[in-house]
Amino acid sequence: MSFSSMSKQQVLDAGEGAGEEVVELIPGLPEEVAEKCLLHLPFLYHRLFRTVSSTWNRFLTDAPAKPLLLAPAAAAAAAAVSVSFSLPFLFAFAFDPASRRLQCQALDPFSRRWLLLPPVPGGAAAGSFAVVGLPRRGEIYVIGGVEEGGDKAVRSVAVYSAARNGWGEAAAMRTPRGYMAAGEVGGRVVVAGEDGEAEVFDPEAGRWLPAAPRRGAAVARYDAAAAGGKLYVTEGWAWPFERAPRGAVYDAAADSWREMARGMREGWTGSCAVAGGRMYIVAEYGEWRLKRYDEARDEWRMVAGGGVPPEVRRPHVVAGEVGEVAGGRRRIYVVGAGLDVAVGTVSAAAAAGAPHGVEEEVVEWEVVKGPSEFGGLAPCNAQVLYA
């Protein structure tokens, strides 16, 4: 139950006899309207807004020390009160081709305006490091990489916290790595090198632990995605296409690797985003169409509705919201050159010719143009956080 699920009179009645002064979030406004106003405050300034009042502080931190405005008799029911202010923000990492400096911008989902974040620490070469988001924790990890202008891999890990709007240093990896596959599996960060060695970071304990190594031939990272408690790594097709690409799957619960299913690895021909628990790829060829992986049939199925709008130019990086949006839909972001963004909303579609038991889908695209000053930026990664 949130504040908005209680009428103002219920809140006032609950406060009577509690020995506390009843304080409204915004005096004169119904609580549900006041909540919506606070939900639209940019997360970058939450630290400042928490100083306005103890009521605002408890609302924005979502961790009240005691039930707000409730009499002792209502304390048991009040224990269930939880205000969720988290909204999906798109975080895009991009390089300035001239300076080679990495920067991170955050797209506000309501105003569709970009917010400049503090400078990203470190100096790894473009594409050599891994970026992993822990959406529900509001954290992004920038992991390892190869030093710019050299070939020395590093162990360092930087972590961005949306709650603090700042970067900090996390525990370094056990082994220096660059050009690795990585993803969030079960609330932990899993990284795997081309050589098959892997390790797992536990954010609660703040330390890295060894993971089962992958046996067999090396799998160079073309793309990777995490879904359903597993990390999927594919090397993709390579010219002159003389052999099918290799792929591997890490099962976190079993701490073991297996070969990727044939249909998945042969059909994985683009960048993958996981949205609402489903895996989608944006094809690198043709009209940049969206495809969804059907595990039961081991095939990538085309999503109706057309490809990524052509004004969103390559290179593309993709990200998806972990949860479903209203109506059981799923949302995918495709970030292109200049930080133009195609926002794809995927929903179920009626299809008379679909095989029995197969759900067809359709995507609708909306384009959010990047500011003119972003014109030269080349995206290298995108993450969605709930901030």
Side-chain angles (χ1 to χ4, degrees):
M1 184 195 326
S2 69
F3 295 156
S4 58
S5 64
M6 305 174 66
S7 69
K8 178 180 285 189
Q9 189 59 50
Q10 286 175 310
V11 174
L12 295 174
D13 291 344
E16 291 181 357
E20 297 183 19
E21 180 184 355
V22 175
V23 181
E24 299 171 327
L25 282 174
I26 301 178
L29 286 183
E31 291 300 296
E32 60 270 19
V33 176
E35 277 191 19
K36 290 182 179 180
C37 291
L38 294 189
L39 288 175
H40 286 69
L41 297 175
F43 75 92
L44 295 178
Y45 307 110
H46 278 187
R47 291 179 65 184
L48 177 62
F49 294 138
R50 291 188 187 110
T51 66
V52 171
S53 69
S54 60
T55 310
W56 280 35
N57 179 52
R58 281 182 279 185
F59 178 88
L60 292 173
T61 56
D62 196 22
K66 55 183 177 178
L68 182 64
L69 302 179
L70 297 181
V81 173
S82 175
V83 181
S84 176
F85 68 88
S86 298
L87 299 170
F89 279 75
L90 175 66
F91 290 74
F93 291 80
F95 276 94
D96 182 332
S99 67
R100 302 298 297 168
R101 291 186 63 85
L102 176 67
Q103 56 181 273
C104 184
Q105 315 277 352
L107 179 63
D108 184 313
F110 286 97
S111 68
R112 299 297 172 90
R113 298 173 66 179
W114 287 94
L115 308 172
L116 178 63
L117 272 61
V120 182
S128 69
F129 53 87
V131 181
V132 177
L134 301 184
R136 295 302 183 186
R137 288 179 61 92
E139 294 176 343
I140 298 177
Y141 291 79
V142 176
I143 306 166
V146 175
E147 292 181 350
E148 183 71 46
D151 58 2
K152 181 182 178 182
V154 298
R155 301 170 53 229
S156 58
V157 179
V159 56
Y160 171 81
S161 167
R164 299 191 308 270
N165 185 33
W167 291 91
E169 184 178 344
M173 290 186 293
R174 297 160 60 91
T175 303
R177 283 192 179 86
Y179 302 101
M180 75 213 81
E184 181 263 333
V185 181
R188 296 183 173 190
V189 177
V190 179
V191 300
E194 182 178 345
D195 59 2
E197 295 297 320
E199 54 187 298
V200 178
F201 179 72
D202 182 345
E204 294 293 338
R207 60 188 179 126
W208 290 88
L209 302 170
R214 177 180 44 76
R215 305 301 183 186
V219 176
R221 182 200 66 178
Y222 162 74
D223 196 24
K230 299 177 178 65
L231 176 67
Y232 298 83
V233 184
T234 176
E235 66 180 6
W237 289 92
W239 178 261
F241 313 119
E242 294 178 342
R243 61 171 177 81
R246 290 184 288 258
V249 182
Y250 174 73
D251 186 324
D255 188 27
S256 64
W257 290 86
R258 62 173 171 81
E259 184 179 358
M260 183 180 291
R262 180 174 180 176
M264 172 180 271
R265 56 189 167 88
E266 292 188 357
W268 195 322
T269 55
S271 299
C272 185
V274 178
R278 296 183 177 179
M279 298 176 66
Y280 298 86
I281 61 172
V282 175
E284 287 192 339
Y285 57 86
E287 299 178 343
W288 305 332
R289 295 289 297 273
L290 190 67
K291 297 192 290 183
R292 174 175 65 87
Y293 182 65
D294 183 335
E295 184 175 11
R297 301 174 66 87
D298 187 27
E299 65 181 15
W300 294 91
R301 298 190 61 82
M302 195 71 71
V303 176
V308 175
E311 58 263 44
V312 180
R313 299 168 292 118
R314 294 183 64 184
H316 290 157
V317 296
V318 300
E321 294 184 15
V322 294
E324 295 181 352
V325 295
R329 297 172 295 171
R330 295 165 173 82
R331 186 157 293 147
I332 292 171
Y333 301 89
V334 181
V335 184
L339 300 196
D340 291 337
V341 179
V343 183
T345 301
V346 181
S347 55
H356 177 70
V358 175
E359 178 187 354
E360 296 293 338
E361 293 179 312
V362 61
V363 61
E364 296 182 4
W365 296 102
E366 175 189 0
V367 174
V368 180
K369 298 293 290 182
S372 58
E373 57 266 31
F374 290 176
L377 295 181
C380 61
N381 193 278
Q383 301 287 328
V384 174
L385 289 191
Y386 291 78

